[in-house]
Amino acid sequence: MRIRELSLRQDPDLRKELALLARGCDFVLPSRFKKRLRAFQQGQKVKSGLEPRGVNASQHPFNSSPLCPPQAQVRTEVPVTTAQSENIPKFYFPQGRPQANLNIDGLISRIEKTFSQFPNERATIEDMGAVAKACECPLYWKVPLFCLAGGDRTGFVSVHKFVAVWRKTLQTCHDDASKFVHLLAKPGCNYLEQDDFIPFLQDVVNSHAGLAFLKEAPDFHSRYITTVIQRIFYNVNRSWTGKITCNELRKSNFLQNVVLLEQEEDVNQLTEYFSYEHFYVIYCKFWELDSDHDLYIDQNDLARHNDQAISQRMIERIFSGTVTRDRRVRKEGRISYADFVWFLISEEDKKTDTSIEYWFRCMDLDGDGVLSMYELEYFYEEQCQKLEAMAIEPLPFEDCLCQMFDLVKPEVEGKITLRDLKRCKLSHIFFDTFFDIEKYLDHEQRDPFSVIREAETEGQEVSDWEKYAAEEYDILVAEEAANDQFYLYCDRCGRLFFHNFYLMHSYISCLG
């Protein structure tokens, strides 16, 4: 019997039927199964010589068993039609949609031709610009390409090594976003972290014509690179994970700005990521608050920003770690320059999605995703105290609450969600009402119709951050121009710095 059971399981048709019966499938007819089972057993007996071929199947002892009584009649087998499987085309391409007309061999031969121009067919970092063009990549991908082939370890890249790694890249990465992540990411990672951008941005600082003056202040490079990295993650990393994925790169305009780096000699025209003027404004603002110049500020330092316009309760929320990446913030009670970049951009432009998320996280005390009336009253109480200290009668909280609900128009009455604020075009007025006294008073004194007109023309003009950075930069340059003939002496290095726009950075970096 053991042999019979084993041979029974080896029949592919019966194994399929048994599996379907075991799963309780309804379309397998018991009578059909019984008939096939009897036929199979008879065939096994004939093969083994245990039963003559002339034995009637109806007289077989098997048919007298309770499983199949003798009087049972075998039904005519009805063919079961199976549904035809539909060929659904592939729709998910995490590494980009493959290009049907991509000629990899043609690209490789063009790369080999470029390498043939170098001594011993080896490319140094200075030669990688031509190699990047042969690969049909932007110019400033040259250092990531150099590092991918091991050039950062050996000082050069051979043609065979580079062709091997680039052919593999072309076969696995099918768009610019996946290629860029592959070039910069650590081995085994499919995302980019902050330190992955450092070699790429250091090459921009070293080779871009618009940043040539920074060669005189090498200690200042890290400040600029830190600023650009924070702005990249501020605009691109919409998931707040600290890890930029291929999908986030595709949805952003960062790679387009990398292409513009090659075409635009003035980096200040690239205001979203690479503007040196924007960096200068951010760093000078931080320098004013960082009294001991250790590149960290505490709550008292941040409270001095904009003449103590931000409420103390909001500052406490910032230092609670809800919007900072450094886990030491809550323990040590300090935030770094990188965290200050996020704060200043969010403070001066409360209309972007990232800034709305930034301030919503701060106001959502219990983290339930909803701003309740208790949380709104908690922040508004300090605003009322500041207004009373300025001899201004504050609006009662109940009236303020009605105004804010009319402004935001939440989907659920009495509860304001992140979605409500993103849909509302006046989110900056909402936030300023609860924790920014200076801007709150500015809104109160303005014509309400002008606010409505600004909301209707949103997206047609420069952003609030760009306006702020341009105004502050002009003020800083005017202050330096007033001291145009003034010299600064550094006690640390004994050097004398002429006080103008560019060399002032060298003096600051020397102190830092």
Side-chain angles (χ1 to χ4, degrees), residues 14 27 86 132 232 505:
L14 285 174
F27 60 83
E86 298 181 4
I232 291 172
H505 304 324

Side-chain angles (χ1 to χ4, degrees), residues 278-344:
H278 289 193
F279 153 70
Y280 185 60
V281 170
I282 296 172
Y283 192 76
C284 286
K285 288 297 178 182
F286 181 81
W287 186 260
E288 293 173 0
L289 301 178
D290 185 15
S291 55
D292 56 1
H293 305 311
D294 62 346
L295 296 180
Y296 286 93
I297 57 175
D298 57 20
Q299 293 190 27
N300 295 329
D301 294 330
L302 188 60
R304 293 188 287 109
H305 173 72
N306 198 18
D307 296 330
Q308 298 182 341
I310 305 297
S311 68
Q312 185 61 35
R313 293 182 177 180
M314 179 53 67
I315 291 176
E316 291 174 358
R317 284 293 293 164
I318 294 173
F319 279 82
S320 68
T322 186
V323 289
T324 54
R325 300 193 182 278
D326 195 341
R327 296 181 179 179
R328 297 175 297 177
V329 170
R330 189 169 184 176
K331 181 179 180 181
E332 301 179 1
R334 303 186 306 170
I335 63 173
S336 64
Y337 171 68
D339 295 321
F340 180 79
V341 174
W342 283 64
F343 163 78
L344 187 61

Side-chain angles (χ1 to χ4, degrees), residues 111-315:
I111 294 171
E112 292 174 342
K113 183 179 179 181
T114 303
F115 268 88
S116 64
Q117 304 172 7
F118 309 139
N120 299 323
E121 294 188 335
R122 293 178 176 180
T124 62
I125 186 62
E126 291 78 13
D127 303 323
M128 289 305 296
V131 176
K133 286 303 176 183
C135 296
E136 298 184 354
C137 295
L139 175 65
Y140 286 97
W141 286 29
K142 57 182 185 292
V143 166
L145 287 169
F146 187 71
C147 296
L148 179 69
D152 54 333
R153 298 186 299 271
T154 60
F156 63 88
V157 174
S158 65
V159 61
H160 302 293
K161 177 67 174 178
F162 186 84
V163 166
V165 296
W166 189 241
R167 182 186 294 274
K168 182 179 179 181
T169 301
L170 293 176
Q171 292 172 348
T172 56
C173 305
H174 306 292
D175 64 354
D176 289 343
S178 60
K179 292 176 186 175
F180 190 79
V181 171
H182 178 70
L183 290 176
L184 270 67
K186 300 177 182 65
C189 296
N190 58 355
Y191 53 81
L192 296 177
E193 296 179 314
Q194 294 191 9
D195 57 339
D196 294 331
F197 286 88
I198 294 178
F200 161 72
L201 292 175
Q202 185 63 57
D203 177 59
V204 174
V205 173
N206 294 338
S207 57
H208 197 281
L211 298 172
F213 60 90
L214 274 181
K215 293 180 180 179
E216 302 175 2
D219 296 336
F220 217 51
H221 293 180
S222 62
R223 314 287 195 270
Y224 173 78
I225 291 174
T226 299
T227 306
V228 175
I229 289 175
Q230 299 310 314
R231 298 196 69 183
I232 291 172
F233 276 79
Y234 188 91
N235 292 310
V236 179
N237 187 211
R238 303 295 305 115
S239 60
W240 284 68
T241 59
K243 301 175 181 178
I244 294 179
T245 62
C246 293
N247 196 34
E248 288 178 328
L249 266 183
R250 295 186 187 104
K251 293 180 179 179
S252 72
N253 62 350
F254 173 70
L255 293 180
Q256 289 85 339
N257 276 262
V258 174
V259 175
L260 292 176
L261 272 176
E262 178 184 355
Q263 305 170 4
E264 183 61 61
E265 294 185 359
D266 185 7
V267 293
N268 296 317
Q269 299 299 320
L270 307 177
T271 55
E272 290 188 74
Y273 305 100
F274 301 102
S275 172
Y276 185 84
E277 294 180 358
H278 289 193
F279 153 70
Y280 185 60
V281 170
I282 296 172
Y283 192 76
C284 286
K285 288 297 178 182
F286 181 81
W287 186 260
E288 293 173 0
L289 301 178
D290 185 15
S291 55
D292 56 1
H293 305 311
D294 62 346
L295 296 180
Y296 286 93
I297 57 175
D298 57 20
Q299 293 190 27
N300 295 329
D301 294 330
L302 188 60
R304 293 188 287 109
H305 173 72
N306 198 18
D307 296 330
Q308 298 182 341
I310 305 297
S311 68
Q312 185 61 35
R313 293 182 177 180
M314 179 53 67
I315 291 176

Side-chain angles (χ1 to χ4, degrees), residues 1 33 70 101 119-120 136 154 224-225 231 249 251 253 281 353 362 372 393 427-428 463 508 511:
M1 186 63 185
F33 173 75
N101 56 349
N120 299 323
E136 298 184 354
T154 60
Y224 173 78
I225 291 174
R231 298 196 69 183
L249 266 183
K251 293 180 179 179
N253 62 350
V281 170
D353 286 347
C362 291
S372 63
E393 183 179 359
S427 59
H428 58 294
S463 66
I508 294 176
L511 292 179

